[in-house]
Structure formats: structure tokens, C-alpha cells
Amino acid sequence: MRALCFDRVTKTFEHHARRMLLRDRIAGLLRGTRGQRFTALSDVSFELAQGECLGLIGPNGAGKSTLLSLATGLAMPDSGRIEVRGRVASLLELGAGFHPDLTGMENVHVNAALIGLTRRELEEKLEEIIEFSGVREFIHEPLRTYSQGMSLRLAFSVAVSCNPDVLLIDEVIGVGDEEFRARCLEKIRAFQRDGKTILLASHSLELLKMLCQRAMWLERGRVVEIGEPEEIVAAYQGTRSDSAHSSAKTDVPTKRSARV
Amino acid sequence: MRSGRETAGSPASALPSASPPHTPPPETMTLAPSVFRKAWEGDYVFLFEQLILKDFKIRYRNMSLGVMWSLLNPLVMMGVMTFIFGGVVGGQRSRAFPVFLLCGLVPYNFFTGAWIAGTNSIIDSASLVKRVPVPRQMFPVAGVLSNAVHLLIQLALLFVMAWGYGYRPGVPWLWLPVIWALYIVFACGLSLASSAINVFIRDTRYVVESFNLVLFWLVPIFYSFSIIPPKYADVYQFNPVAALVMAMRNIVLDGIPPPMSLIRNLALAASLTMAMGWVIFARLKSRFYEHI
């Protein structure tokens, strides 16, 4: 069954440098006119079957995060169709909404409510969340006393607690120490065993190869290739080391196709 | 559909390699944008409660006086104004001038606090708006409702003062929940509109703040309706803040229900403002992500 589908999705963003004058802004707001725009995603199509794990590869600014935001439903595409089936959990940025003055426990409650847990679900899972985070003894301390690693662990624990059907992950499993990374990996593997669909953006190519059945290479908002993770990663790494030796402005995909 | 490896044989200028070969030509390629996904289906009550609690805790957590601050502001204002208008300027001192003042101050305080909090709510929750697909309306409404907590504290102060001056609750007091509910809906509607506009025009919050300053003089807080010349009555007629002040004085001081026309106008203003705010918000919210 199809769990997630992008059909010719294009997303552009407005350049913010201009149009700062109030009258321009009002005019733009009323008319809905669009100033100069930057294309973050261009004509992207792919599908994920239920239980599949797709890895997103690409340099910074390739559109990975934009793609995940669209799948999460945070922004609307300019054109194209997006379909997501089932409950979605997005691990886009751990600890969004965490407040330093609230205790760990209070932050868990706020965050759980935000990601859509009901009061009963949280009651059932609270123990598990605290156990998984490994910060039990500090759970009633204000978050500002936590180390960054500790608060990330707590955030991750809440984020994965909602039993999603589709999991969207943006470069967040590389956080924390070795032991916690291993736990995160184990958690994601458990999700895979349970037949959850996963879309994972990461710069950790080893991780992608390990977890994903397929990989998608994005470059400047376009899909370069979709296929076996091993091959895609190899091809991607090829262009990276290539461009490292050549001038910075070289058009990377051209370079690659020329080489193949 | 696309499980095998697709090669990128084309140059960068034509990179649609991810689309199948039978992709239609460019002019038919744009698909009207559509998103099919389950809407956020969490527990609204739980989330409201958490957002309101969060706001409340953050505000007072590091204060040694804690929630006393909610009482201190109206108490100080009441004291100062009793001194100025009851003593220095003099003239219009009624039997229970402090209670009279509170009937004006409490609605005014709630309105300004709620509207400012509502207006800033989307910007203040930028990290959430960019990361969590919660219905965006939650933020301004929660901003208003968390001020309703302070409102309850201030109302308690007002009732205690009224009791001290010998006013006793009667049947007209049953109107209190009605007028306050309408008033809160009105504040939510305004906040929905202003919070959405504030994302695109960040000056909005200063407009709101300035407006609130002006409003202080346009609401009969330290003067009574009876001194307003008829030719200026219209300024107050359609002002829900003034309406609430008037209704409060009717109910608490005079022990009579507020005029039916007042209730009707207030209900009308509340529903119209809410409808307008909702429409503006719904129209703008899809672009929050890009502008925040």
C-alpha cells in the first residue's frame, strides 16, 4: 500500500531582501502578488510503499528540509500533489517548543500535547518516555540546567512516543552520545520491524545505507536519482570529491553525467 | 513505481530524471496544489490546557511574588486613580469609587493583555509554527485564554472589593458569564486577525499597543457614562470594551441586568469580529511558514 506520495511537487519561496516598505507589503498582501521567488523544490515525484524507508541525500540547501516540511503539512506546495496516509510524526528539530524555565516533566507534557498525544496516551507512555530519555533523576529540574545532550534525549523520547504510521526524520538521530545514538537506531529499527514508513534526511551516508531500502539524491531542489542506497551514495560521494577538486561553481550534476 | 535505479544521463539544465519517461510536456505539468493528509488530530483540550499552563508558569516561575503580580497591577492602578480622581481632581467621587474603577480596569486590562498576547502569539511561537503541524489558530486563542486566567484572579479581587463595600450578588449576576464569554470571543476574533497580519507586517504589534493606549481614554474607566455628551455617544455605542465596562457597573454596582440592546450589540460585535478574524487567519495561515 502506498503510504506517501509526491506528485510533481514544486515549492518556491519569496526572497525577503526586497519589498520591506509597508505600502509594498500591504499591496502584496492584498493582491497576493509574488515577488522574486526562489525555487526550493522543482517537480519532485516519488512514492513510498508502506513499511519502506527512503533516505534523502543532498548538500545543504538541496531541498531536503523543505521536502520534509511539505510532507509534514507545515507549508503548501505551489503546485503538485502530496499524499500522506496515517498518523505522521515529524522529527524535524528536536526540542522545538521546549522552554528553559519549565521542568523536564512540564516540557514533556507540552510537547506531547503539541505532537498530538491525548492526555490518556501520555499517561500510558510517560514512564516509557522518561525511561528512554535516561534523564529520570533530573526530570523535575528546569530544562536550563540540562546539558544540550540531555535535552535532546528528552525531546527524542517524546517525539517517537506517538506511535506514528509515517515517520519523517531530519538529521536528528546523530545527536547525543554513542549510547543514545545506538538507542535511537534501535528505536528506528523497531519502527521498521513494525512496518512503519520512514523518510529520512541525513548527511550520515553510512546511516542511510544501513537503514534505507532506497535513497533519493536531491540537488538544488531537483531529484537527481532514486535507487539503491549503495549506488546512490557512491555516485553522490563521487561528485562531492570531484567538485572538491574542481572550481566551486561547477555544476555538479553535469559533472557527474559527463563522468558516467 | 520507481524502484530501480534511474540514471541521470541528462545535463543539469534538464534534470527531470526522477519523473517517469512519459511525463507530460511542461505546460500541463503543473498540478493544482493539493495535500491529502490527516489533519492534526490531537487532544485540543489537553493542548489548550498545556499551552495556557505553560504561559502561566513561565510568566511567574522566577518571580518571588508569583501570581500576586496579577493582583498588584489593578490594585496599584485603583489606588492611584482613586487618589487622582477622588482626591486631587475631585468632583466625581461616588460612594464606592474603587469598585467603580475596578469595573473599568478589569475589562480594559484583560482586553489589552489578551490582544497583545494574541497578536504576538504566532511570532512568539515561530519555532513551533515551523516545526509542528498543530492547527495555527491554537496560538492566538491560547494567548487570549491564558490571559483569562489573570482575568479570573482580577475578577475575584473585584468581587471581594464589592463585597467589602456592601454589594451582594443577585440574579443579574447570572449575566456575568454571558457578557464575559462574548467578550472573550471578541478578543479571540481580533487576535486571530492581528496575529496573522503581524506575521507579514511586523509593525502590527506597535499599532495594537498604540491603539490600546488610546483606548484607555475612550473607555469610561475613571468617568461614568452619564457625563458623556449625547453627540459623542456613538464613540461608545459600538465599542465592546466600553460595553463591558457599562455592563459590569450595571450588574455589580446597580444590581440590574445590562440593557438588552447592549447584549445584542456585544453579541453582534463578537460574532462579526470572530468571523472576520477567522477568515483573515484562514486566508493567510498557509503562508506563515515562509514568512516567519
Side-chain angles (χ1 to χ4, degrees):
Chain A
M1 205 187 80
R2 203 164 63 173
L4 191 143
C5 161
F6 270 54
D7 187 8
R8 286 171 276 159
V9 171
T10 295
K11 176 73 189 166
T12 64
F13 288 110
E14 199 170 324
H15 279 300
H16 282 268
R18 298 179 187 184
R19 303 175 68 245
M20 290 310 280
L21 279 178
L22 184 62
R23 64 187 149 98
D24 297 331
R25 291 208 152 259
I26 293 174
L29 200 62
L30 291 179
R31 275 188 266 121
T33 50
R34 323 203 126 188
Q36 262 200 322
R37 306 196 60 94
F38 154 81
T39 307
L41 281 181
S42 173
D43 203 26
V44 170
S45 300
F46 66 91
E47 283 189 354
L48 251 94
Q50 197 205 325
E52 205 182 358
C53 177
L54 176 72
L56 292 176
I57 312 180
N60 289 329
K64 303 188 294 291
S65 299
T66 304
L67 194 151
L68 290 169
S69 301
L70 288 175
T72 306
L74 296 169
M76 277 287 281
D78 288 44
S79 68
R81 196 166 51 92
I82 298 172
E83 225 179 296
V84 186
R85 278 170 215 256
R87 192 172 187 174
V88 181
S90 311
L91 281 66
L92 300 186
E93 179 189 315
L94 290 178
F98 268 20
H99 196 283
D101 282 342
L102 297 181
T103 68
M105 187 63 113
E106 287 164 340
N107 273 306
V108 166
H109 277 76
V110 176
N111 245 39
L114 281 166
I115 63 175
L117 287 190
T118 62
R119 188 191 311 271
R120 280 214 22 216
E121 280 174 317
L122 178 62
E123 273 166 20
E124 284 164 16
K125 301 224 165 114
L126 194 56
E127 187 54 31
E128 192 186 319
I129 292 171
I130 295 171
E131 181 58 39
F132 189 77
S133 72
V135 295
R136 184 184 295 277
E137 39 179 330
F138 307 104
I139 200 72
H140 293 296
E141 297 289 320
L143 203 76
R144 64 184 133 81
T145 64
Y146 284 34
S147 71
Q148 201 188 359
M150 283 161 66
S151 82
L152 285 172
R153 290 167 77 127
L154 192 62
F156 184 87
S157 311
V158 187
V160 296
S161 67
C162 77
N163 193 28
D165 302 309
V166 179
L167 201 61
L168 308 169
I169 308 176
D170 191 2
E171 198 69 71
V172 290
I173 20 186
V175 301
D177 54 18
E178 272 314 314
E179 183 244 338
F180 188 68
R181 281 224 293 270
R183 274 181 169 189
C184 294
L185 265 185
E186 182 38 49
K187 187 79 188 174
I188 288 171
R189 284 194 188 285
F191 276 131
Q192 286 184 313
R193 281 195 296 275
D194 293 345
K196 317 283 191 196
T197 312
I198 300 176
L199 185 55
L200 167 73
S202 180
H203 288 292
S204 164
L205 302 175
E206 289 312 308
L207 189 78
L208 287 180
K209 281 198 274 189
M210 206 155 59
L211 289 172
C212 304
Q213 283 95 50
R214 281 194 300 156
M216 183 161 86
W217 172 8
L218 279 175
E219 191 92 41
R220 295 183 189 181
R222 291 174 181 275
V223 180
V224 181
E225 276 186 83
I226 303 181
E228 291 290 322
E230 293 280 345
E231 291 176 36
I232 303 281
V233 166
Y236 174 71
Q237 278 175 324
T239 62
R240 291 302 111 186
S241 52
D242 242 25
S243 57
H245 294 303
S246 56
S247 66
K249 285 289 169 195
T250 315
D251 198 335
V252 174
T254 317
K255 193 100 185 143
R256 153 157 172 69
S257 51
R259 209 167 49 83
V260 168
Chain B
M1 181 173 144
R2 287 183 270 297
S3 52
R5 178 177 176 183
E6 290 150 33
T7 46
S10 43
S13 50
L15 263 178
S17 37
S19 326
H22 61 266
T23 308
E27 54 269 27
T28 57
M29 265 182 30
T30 45
L31 224 59
S34 60
V35 177
F36 298 99
R37 66 188 300 281
K38 272 192 193 169
W40 186 87
E41 45 185 27
D43 186 336
Y44 283 90
V45 178
F46 184 41
L47 179 54
F48 268 127
E49 179 196 298
Q50 288 302 322
L51 287 178
I52 292 166
L53 267 177
K54 174 185 177 182
D55 208 69
F56 196 74
K57 285 174 179 165
I58 291 168
R59 188 156 356 171
Y60 293 123
R61 172 119 324 162
N62 299 317
M63 307 294 153
S64 16
L65 284 185
V67 81
M68 286 301 289
W69 283 109
S70 266
L71 294 176
L72 219 54
N73 173 289
L75 272 176
V76 168
M77 285 298 279
M78 186 188 77
V80 170
M81 291 171 81
T82 306
F83 173 68
I84 298 289
F85 297 107
V88 177
V89 180
Q92 49 172 307
R93 183 170 191 148
S94 63
R95 185 170 73 87
F97 196 54
V99 183
F100 176 88
L101 281 174
L102 276 182
C103 285
L105 281 171
V106 172
Y108 173 80
N109 277 350
F110 168 74
F111 178 79
T112 55
W115 197 19
I116 286 287
T119 302
N120 294 334
S121 61
I122 300 283
I123 299 281
D124 287 349
S125 320
S127 66
L128 293 177
V129 173
K130 290 210 96 152
R131 294 291 174 245
V132 194
V134 177
R136 275 75 180 90
Q137 283 91 339
M138 300 290 285
F139 298 113
V141 174
V144 170
L145 291 186
S146 65
N147 272 278
V149 179
H150 304 286
L151 169 67
L152 288 179
I153 298 170
Q154 299 195 358
L155 277 177
L157 172 71
L158 190 154
F159 294 147
V160 169
M161 292 286 293
W163 188 276
Y165 274 89
Y167 297 103
R168 296 289 176 266
V171 179
W173 285 51
L174 293 175
W175 280 105
L176 286 173
V178 177
I179 58 169
W180 280 101
L182 290 173
Y183 195 52
I184 288 172
V185 170
F186 170 71
C188 285
L190 265 187
S191 296
L192 280 168
S194 60
S195 64
I197 295 169
N198 194 34
V199 173
F200 300 90
I201 305 171
R202 306 272 168 127
D203 321 45
T204 307
R205 62 171 297 179
Y206 296 115
V207 175
V208 169
E209 280 170 12
S210 309
F211 186 87
N212 281 342
L213 279 179
V214 175
L215 189 69
F216 182 81
W217 304 94
L218 289 183
V219 172
I221 294 173
F222 53 88
Y223 51 95
S224 78
F225 281 91
S226 52
I227 67 158
I228 299 166
K231 58 176 173 173
Y232 298 129
D234 281 355
V235 179
Y236 299 89
Q237 187 79 35
F238 300 103
N239 175 349
V241 186
L244 217 82
V245 174
M246 190 170 169
M248 284 298 285
R249 287 185 183 150
N250 283 155
I251 295 169
V252 176
L253 297 179
D254 308 336
I256 55 168
M260 243 14 234
S261 62
L262 184 149
I263 304 273
R264 198 193 55 222
N265 283 355
L266 188 61
L268 202 67
S271 40
L272 281 181
T273 311
M274 184 42 121
M276 175 207 69
W278 195 270
V279 168
I280 291 178
F281 197 94
R283 214 178 129 65
L284 296 178
K285 69 174 179 180
S286 64
R287 291 198 275 147
F288 285 174
Y289 180 83
E290 299 155 35
H291 282 268
I292 227 163

